[in-house]
Amino acid sequence: MRVVVTGIWICAATVLSCYGMVTYGAGLFAPKTEPYLEGLQYQKLRAINVPIIADGAVQGYIVTTLVFTADAKLMHALPVPPNSFVIDEAFRQIYTDTELDFRRLKKYNVTKRLAEIRQKVNERLGAEVVRDVLVEDFNFVSKRDAKS
């Protein structure tokens, strides 16, 4: 009789411990989501090539690499990443800029141009996502040098 009662007691203890583990221990094995750091996020863009046209012909190309900082919380909430918007706006700003003339070099207001890129991108996105646009690389390659 003792053996039967001990066997029933062991079976009951095993069943109850399994039930308790499944009911109360389910949260122990659930994957934990890591909260992302809020603040600014640094995004490096691919290099873009912008043709410079003067006197009805291509004079050369501006090759530039830009970097932007953005609000990380807003970046994760956007349905589309702002990278393409920044590249598109930078191309438009450089391509239509009449002040850029590499035949007659003079100082150029880069700060103003970058502020305009930031402003236009934020207007297109409908929020203050992009905080700052930075230049990592900015080069002019003449048409003659591009062929060689």
Side-chain angles (χ1 to χ4, degrees), residues 45 68 80-89 124:
L45 302 172
F68 72 92
V80 178
N83 299 22
S84 298
F85 290 97
V86 176
I87 289 172
D88 178 61
E89 193 58 43
R124 290 170 71 180

Side-chain angles (χ1 to χ4, degrees), residues 55-129:
D55 300 329
V58 174
Q59 302 299 316
Y61 299 90
I62 291 180
V63 181
T64 184
T65 305
L66 299 176
V67 175
F68 72 92
T69 58
D71 187 330
K73 190 173 187 180
L74 287 174
M75 284 264 301
H76 291 287
L78 288 174
V80 178
N83 299 22
S84 298
F85 290 97
V86 176
I87 289 172
D88 178 61
E89 193 58 43
F91 185 92
R92 290 176 190 218
Q93 292 281 329
I94 294 169
Y95 186 75
T96 60
D97 192 358
T98 57
E99 294 179 26
L100 275 175
D101 187 3
F102 287 93
R103 294 171 295 168
R104 291 181 286 284
L105 293 176
K106 62 179 181 176
K107 283 193 173 185
Y108 182 70
N109 192 351
V110 176
T111 306
K112 176 185 166 197
R113 184 64 54 211
L114 294 175
E116 287 178 6
I117 291 171
R118 182 187 63 79
Q119 176 194 3
K120 295 282 186 174
V121 169
N122 285 335
E123 284 176 10
R124 290 170 71 180
L125 293 173
E128 280 292 320
V129 178

